[in-house]
Amino acid sequence: SREKIVVDRERTKGDYSVGPYLLAKLAAELPISAVFPLLFGAVEYPMCGLNKSLGRFGKFLGLVTVESFTSSAIGLSVGSLVSSPEAANALGPAVMVIFIVFGGYYCNPENVPLAFRWIPRVSLIKHGFEGLAANEFRGLSFETKLPTDVATGEQALQRIGFGESTVPKSLAGLGRIMLFNWMLTFHILKSKKPSFQFCEDGNFN
């Protein structure tokens, strides 16, 4: 991409190192990245008839915003790992599909085979879904007709394997994934410093 060409050239000239570049990129992009999830949440939350508590609404906006930041961090690490935008566009969706499958909606985390138990722990979809579910269901009561019906929000969370879930835990999980991918991006970019062959002046005499 054009940005990669410019950054490689300026890093080769010694204009700046990876750290200042990455910090400046995050400082410039994070505020813009927050606008769209905040607008989405402000429109979608009342349309879906979710919990009318102002505190729950604030937590909802916080979760979707941090999840957006985490998704951008994964995009940075994937983009730094591959050599072209085409490869990043092919690898990124594949990674997200895996996270979606193990996100807690299609399969209960407790039923995941042992060999794949680590995937839900690193899935931003799972942490986001878990936090949003806890934010909406905790403290609710439902009318029941049968003994097997769910009577409380806590019971509903227990049925989908989110009995111990809280919003702070989900935010912490998303934060860990985000920080890991920022650090991974930093180390990948640092190890892939561009190098060029030096040309000597020819002697044509």
Side-chain angles (χ1 to χ4, degrees):
S1 66
R2 182 176 299 178
E3 180 182 351
K4 184 177 186 300
I5 295 172
V6 172
V7 171
D8 285 349
R9 182 176 67 239
E10 294 179 346
R11 286 180 62 197
T12 303
K13 291 166 57 180
D15 291 345
Y16 48 78
S17 60
V18 175
Y21 160 70
L22 192 57
L23 287 174
K25 183 177 178 65
L26 293 175
E29 293 184 355
L30 284 181
I32 300 174
S33 299
V35 172
F36 295 103
L38 288 174
L39 287 175
F40 162 77
V43 173
E44 185 261 355
Y45 195 89
M47 291 181 64
C48 291
L50 299 178
N51 197 303
K52 292 180 170 48
S53 166
L54 187 60
R56 301 285 182 102
F57 176 57
K59 291 177 182 179
F60 177 90
L61 292 179
L63 279 164
V64 295
T65 302
V66 174
E67 187 172 11
S68 175
F69 290 165
T70 307
S71 178
S72 297
I74 293 174
L76 281 176
S77 62
V78 170
S80 64
L81 187 63
V82 298
S83 58
S84 67
E86 292 76 15
N89 290 334
L91 181 60
V95 172
M96 292 305 297
V97 166
I98 294 174
F99 287 160
I100 291 171
V101 170
F102 290 91
Y105 181 79
Y106 295 102
C107 60
N108 191 312
E110 297 176 356
N111 298 330
V112 175
L114 288 176
F116 302 110
R117 288 282 174 92
W118 61 273
I119 299 180
R121 288 195 287 269
V122 301
S123 170
L124 78 160
I125 303 298
K126 187 259 185 184
H127 287 290
F129 176 48
E130 189 174 2
L132 292 173
N135 185 56
E136 178 64 22
F137 282 102
R138 288 208 178 277
L140 294 183
S141 299
F142 307 109
E143 295 182 2
T144 60
K145 295 182 178 179
L146 299 174
T148 55
D149 290 345
V150 173
T152 65
E154 285 73 12
Q155 291 178 359
L157 291 171
Q158 193 70 41
R159 284 197 177 186
I160 59 175
F162 293 164
E164 303 298 325
S165 305
T166 63
V167 172
K169 283 184 180 179
S170 296
L171 288 172
L174 289 171
R176 286 192 296 269
I177 298 171
M178 180 169 54
L179 288 175
F180 172 80
N181 280 277
W182 283 345
M183 293 174 62
L184 180 62
T185 301
F186 173 81
H187 288 293
I188 292 174
L189 291 177
K190 191 173 182 179
S191 66
K192 293 174 67 175
K193 181 178 181 180
S195 59
F196 300 91
Q197 182 176 359
F198 291 98
C199 298
E200 297 180 357
D201 292 335
N203 187 1
F204 298 102
N205 295 330

